[in-house]
């Protein structure tokens, strides 16, 4: 039992795999080899400077930039999928890393005046790296525009990954409260619709939380399909979802609450064991109150929903 626990902890601490660059899984090894070759070239053709001639400010600055470029490269390969944007950004950081590495080596070794390749590397690697970085950021911007379109109805006005629910990939209660506060500061009208699945606790108890999470994911996808483009869907807590409807009036909120309740009630979710789950949905709605704190408005709506909703 102890052995399996230790093995589980070890697997949890294993680092994430680095994505390939230009199809090369060992891009980092290739980069380290190039850095080693440059070090060997300086040590072979150059003369080691006396320690008294070392300029520590330049060593700290250029060496620090070398380290930071390497760290950025690792972070990039850990956090992005493979693709053109990743290739461009990684190549840019690799060029900057090698250019700064040459600058750092130049602080320790003095090469003969007949050697020109070090000046050529210093003059080309970093500018080429910044050019590739600019090109990569341009394509990254296009990529972000496409991703923003995909995240429509999941976020609005600002992005905060720390407020993302890990199961449904929707904003959480904190994100929703921040959005309500933003509407209040702008003195804009709107409405809130809260929904929940009646019997969700029984599903979690009988089929387990993994199956209950799959049900929540299916419910979130269904609700997203039934929202207006300007609406925002968040997971408030447990099986409760909340929709922020900017500029909505009482009649619009009432109709939307009824529509979403009907859509959620018609959801037929099939469990991994083959069971067909179709739970009735409850809803409650309220207009935004410019003077009442967002947390109190949501708590009041939760109480109405717990009382049976609409």
């Amino acid at each position: 039992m102890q052995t399996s626990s230790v093995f589980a902890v070890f697997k949890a601490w294993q680092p994430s795999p680095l994505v390939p660059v230009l199809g090369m899984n060992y891009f980092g090894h290739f980069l380290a080899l190039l850095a080693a070759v440059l070090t060997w070239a300086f040590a072979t053709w150059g003369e080691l400077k006396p320690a008294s001639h070392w300029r520590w400010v330049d060593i700290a600055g250029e060496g620090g930039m070398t380290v930071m470029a390497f760290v950025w490269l690792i972070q990039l390969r850990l956090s992005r999928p493979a693709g053109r944007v990743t290739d461009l950004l990684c190549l840019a950081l690799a060029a900057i890393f090698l250019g700064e590495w040459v600058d750092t080596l130049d602080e320790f070794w003095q090469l003969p005046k007949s050697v020109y390749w070090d000046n050529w590397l210093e003059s080309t690697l970093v500018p080429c790296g910044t050019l590739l970085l600019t090109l990569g950021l341009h394509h990254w911007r296009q990529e972000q525009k496409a991703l923003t379109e995909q995240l429509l109805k999941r976020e609005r006005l600002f992005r905060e990954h720390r407020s993302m629910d890990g199961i449904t990939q929707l904003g959480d209660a904190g994100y929703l409260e921040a959005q309500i506060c933003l509407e209040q500061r702008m003195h804009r009208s709107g409405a809130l619709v809260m929904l929940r699945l009646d019997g969700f606790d029984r599903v979690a108890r009988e089929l387990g939380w993994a199956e209950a999470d799959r049900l929540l994911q299916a419910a979130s996808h269904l609700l997203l399909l039934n929202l207006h483009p300007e609406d925002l869907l968040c997971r408030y807590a447990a099986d409760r979802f909340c929709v922020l409807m900017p500029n909505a009036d009482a009649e619009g909120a009432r109709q939307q609450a009824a529509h979403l309740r009907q859509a959620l009630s018609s959801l037929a979710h099939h469990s991994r064991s083959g069971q067909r789950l179709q739970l009735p949905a409850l809803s409650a709605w309220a207009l935004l109150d410019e003077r009442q704190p967002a947390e109190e408005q949501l708590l009041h709506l939760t109480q109405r929903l717990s009382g049976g909703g609409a």
Side-chain angles (χ1 to χ4, degrees):
M1 183 68 178
Q2 292 180 349
T3 304
S4 60
S5 301
V6 172
F7 180 73
V9 171
F10 176 74
K11 286 189 65 177
W13 278 97
Q14 282 184 328
S16 302
L18 299 176
V19 299
V21 180
L22 296 177
M24 294 188 295
N25 289 316
Y26 297 102
F27 179 77
H29 297 74
F30 177 69
L31 190 61
L33 178 61
L34 290 179
V37 170
L38 288 172
T39 306
W40 172 82
F42 269 86
T44 301
W45 284 291
E47 181 181 352
L48 187 63
K49 295 179 180 179
S52 58
H53 290 183
W54 293 355
R55 291 178 293 185
W56 290 104
V57 173
D58 292 342
I59 292 173
E62 294 165 359
M65 277 301 301
T66 304
V67 172
M68 292 309 300
F70 183 76
V71 171
W72 294 338
L73 179 60
I74 295 298
Q75 292 286 351
L76 188 63
R77 295 184 66 195
L78 283 172
S79 58
R80 285 189 52 85
R84 181 176 60 173
V85 175
T86 301
D87 288 344
L88 286 172
L89 295 177
C90 287
L91 288 174
L93 291 176
I96 293 173
F97 165 77
L98 290 175
E100 294 295 338
W101 181 243
V102 171
D103 286 342
T104 304
L105 294 175
D106 200 40
E107 297 297 326
F108 294 98
W109 281 280
Q110 179 67 48
L111 291 174
K113 292 184 178 180
S114 58
V115 175
Y116 296 102
W117 54 262
D118 64 320
N119 293 327
W120 180 81
L121 289 176
E122 290 180 15
S123 303
T124 58
L125 281 173
V126 174
C128 287
T130 55
L131 181 62
L132 286 172
L133 184 61
T134 303
L135 183 62
L137 289 175
H138 170 72
H139 288 290
W140 173 79
R141 178 175 174 270
Q142 302 300 319
E143 179 187 79
Q144 287 301 112
K145 290 175 64 176
L147 290 176
T148 299
E149 290 295 323
Q150 293 181 16
L151 291 174
L152 192 67
K153 304 177 187 178
R154 295 176 184 262
E155 63 178 19
R156 60 189 297 269
L157 303 180
F158 67 91
R159 180 171 296 172
E160 178 52 73
H161 71 278
R162 293 173 298 181
S163 297
M164 189 77 67
D165 174 59
I167 297 173
T168 60
Q169 301 302 305
L170 302 173
D172 59 12
Y175 186 81
L176 178 61
E177 291 174 9
Q179 291 286 344
I180 295 174
C181 292
L182 192 60
E183 296 294 315
Q184 291 175 324
R185 288 198 298 270
M186 294 182 178
H187 305 289
R188 294 195 295 206
S189 61
L192 293 168
V193 175
M194 189 172 289
L195 304 107
R196 74 177 178 89
L197 293 167
D198 192 18
F200 176 79
D201 293 339
R202 177 177 54 81
V203 172
R205 187 171 55 253
E206 295 179 359
L207 301 180
W209 283 106
E211 194 61 56
D213 290 344
R214 290 185 65 244
L215 176 59
L216 289 177
Q217 291 169 356
S220 65
H221 291 317
L222 178 65
L223 290 174
L224 287 170
L225 292 174
N226 286 273
L227 294 181
H228 299 299
E230 65 274 10
D231 293 345
L232 172 70
L233 177 66
C234 293
R235 183 190 178 193
Y236 180 63
D239 62 327
R240 290 190 291 277
F241 296 92
C242 192
V243 181
L244 172 61
M245 303 170 55
N247 302 315
D249 56 15
E251 182 60 22
R254 184 189 65 79
Q255 291 180 0
Q256 183 69 328
H259 171 70
L260 293 177
R261 184 178 68 251
Q262 182 179 4
L264 198 56
S265 298
S266 65
L267 172 64
H269 174 72
H270 294 272
S271 68
R272 294 187 185 276
S273 58
Q275 290 181 263
R276 186 174 186 272
L277 304 174
Q278 187 168 3
L279 305 179
L282 301 175
S283 67
W285 65 272
L287 295 176
L288 286 179
D289 190 334
E290 189 175 322
R291 294 161 301 192
Q292 190 178 25
E295 185 178 2
E296 292 184 11
Q297 293 188 59
L298 292 170
L299 287 175
H300 179 66
L301 203 56
T302 301
Q303 292 171 358
R304 289 180 53 191
L305 193 65
S306 299

